[in-house]
Amino acid sequence: MKCDIGLIGLAVMGRNLVLNIERNGFRVAVFNRTPATTDEFLAREAAGKQIRGFKTLAEFVGSLEKPRRILIMVKAGRAVDDMLAQLKGLVDKNDILIDAGNSLYTDTERRTAEMAASGILFMGMGVSGGEEGALWGPSIMPGGERNAYEKLAPVLEKIAADSDTGRCFAYIGKGGAGHFVKMVHNGIEYGDMQLISEAYDILRRGLGVAPDAMADIFSRWNEGPLKSYLIEITARVLKFKEAPQAPHLVDLILDKAGQKGTGAWTVKAAMDEGVAIPTITAAVDARILSSLKAQRLEAAQKYSGLSFAEPAAPDTEFLSKLMRALYASKICSYAQGFALMQTVSQTRGYGLNLAEVARIWKGGCIIRAVFLDRIRRAFSDRADLVNLVVDDGFREDLTGSAGAWREVLAFATARGIPVPAMSASFAYFTSYVTGALPANLIQAQRDYFGAHTYERTDKPGIFHTHWT
């Protein structure tokens, strides 16, 4: 009996997706570059299930119903190209190859064109939710030819996360649209995590709050407008101990944050498109700085004499202000991501439905949050909304949070606590709502040294001045 779908790459995400697909009634063929990995998976996790493993790609491809649907879950970059080169000689026209890893969307554009030349349908599909999401229901962002999507949709309908607004998948758009949206999702995730870590640092060093008490604070915050997966797991992480008498594990973890590149890709894409995403950029920079542990320790010794305000005692009013500052900063992080998607949707002709993007992020994915409902409504009401900052609903939140935001930033600055992402969010907000920025001086300088010209406020036209 032929298998309904195949998957290549049995790392954790691949394994869990296979188990998810099989549990939902599909026969699955699997292949891994290392046969021992396939054998181990079949023996330990797939025993008794409708999962078949194969030692060669030819056997694997031959085991699938036509048109074949093959999910590729290998490391982004050359490994994807190598796998596609091998599959190209084995599959038939109208078979569907789906790259479900974290590939760069411009690579997906190229691969789509290359496969189309051979009559092969290629899709780039973002999958978010981590190990647990892959197993029990991720948020899925498929892009590529719509007729290929229609053939894959019956599987996605079964395996995607569910929410109160429906299954968390939707056709994103042509070419690299799926991977582009997943990349921006990850960029927002970088910003969100950095903002939460800054709030944690203010609680820890600025207010001297112990981990258990911090966990309780984040748990309470998760019952209000900040309700989200990342706030929820932060409370759990802060409480965790390896043994009852052991220290909190978070205090034993080295302060060096890793990254796999999707945040940097988001920043580069924004730079290329001329879209400001300072919160996400600050989050990427913060991870880079965190990696310089040895340099930071040396620098800390050299600047140990710097004088800062003493930690303050926590009080309910300030904790409320910190919550408001975090919430407003998160709004700006999401606003930047959605503004980038809005711009690239137009420049590349993706035709993104941003209300649908917000909807499918409601469940399964890492940045799922209760306020995605409000983002969905904002873009449903106005598909051409240029920025969430000017949405009437979010305008009230940001206006009401501005005072608390300023106080929290001043508090952190006075105590030498770096808050780059929170500061970037505030600067983004205040810049965006300021009618007159000091860029007039920059234009004057540019014209002075480079004859770059400028426009005037008192009359139309393009001008250049001989300043000397």
Side-chain angles (χ1 to χ4, degrees), residues 184-238:
V184 176
H185 165 285
N186 285 20
I188 295 172
E189 179 185 309
Y190 272 61
D192 214 347
M193 293 173 73
Q194 178 63 27
L195 289 167
I196 292 170
S197 75
E198 290 172 13
Y200 153 78
D201 205 15
I202 291 171
L203 290 168
R204 181 176 64 110
R205 293 198 292 146
L207 298 172
V209 181
D212 282 336
M214 277 193 281
D216 292 339
I217 291 168
F218 277 99
S219 292
R220 289 197 300 274
W221 287 353
N222 198 49
E223 296 170 0
L226 281 173
K227 183 177 177 59
S228 62
Y229 174 72
L230 284 170
I231 294 290
E232 175 189 332
I233 67 168
T234 298
R236 295 179 182 176
V237 166
L238 288 168

Side-chain angles (χ1 to χ4, degrees), residues 221-297:
W221 287 353
N222 198 49
E223 296 170 0
L226 281 173
K227 183 177 177 59
S228 62
Y229 174 72
L230 284 170
I231 294 290
E232 175 189 332
I233 67 168
T234 298
R236 295 179 182 176
V237 166
L238 288 168
K239 234 182 222 316
F240 187 83
K241 295 181 177 182
E242 293 176 300
Q245 303 306 315
H248 290 85
L249 181 58
V250 70
D251 289 336
L252 302 177
I253 296 175
L254 188 67
D255 57 325
K256 289 174 64 174
Q259 54 183 316
K260 292 186 176 180
T262 48
W265 290 349
T266 308
V267 172
K268 184 179 185 304
M271 293 290 184
D272 291 343
E273 296 289 342
V275 178
I277 56 167
T279 307
I280 297 169
T281 302
V284 173
D285 288 342
R287 291 201 189 189
I288 294 170
L289 282 166
S290 80
S291 71
L292 307 176
K293 180 66 174 179
Q295 294 180 35
R296 288 190 291 112
L297 287 173

Side-chain angles (χ1 to χ4, degrees), residues 141-153:
M141 294 148 265
E145 294 295 329
R146 182 173 276 278
N147 60 335
Y149 165 78
E150 298 294 346
K151 292 180 175 67
L152 186 63

Side-chain angles (χ1 to χ4, degrees), residues 67-99:
R68 300 178 178 96
R69 298 174 292 189
I70 299 175
L71 289 167
I72 302 169
M73 294 288 292
V74 300
K75 187 176 180 180
R78 182 173 178 177
V80 177
D81 287 318
D82 289 346
M83 182 54 63
L84 290 175
Q86 294 178 66
L87 288 169
K88 193 173 179 180
L90 299 172
V91 300
D92 299 324
K93 288 184 177 181
N94 296 318
D95 284 348
I96 306 165
L97 305 181
I98 308 111
D99 176 10

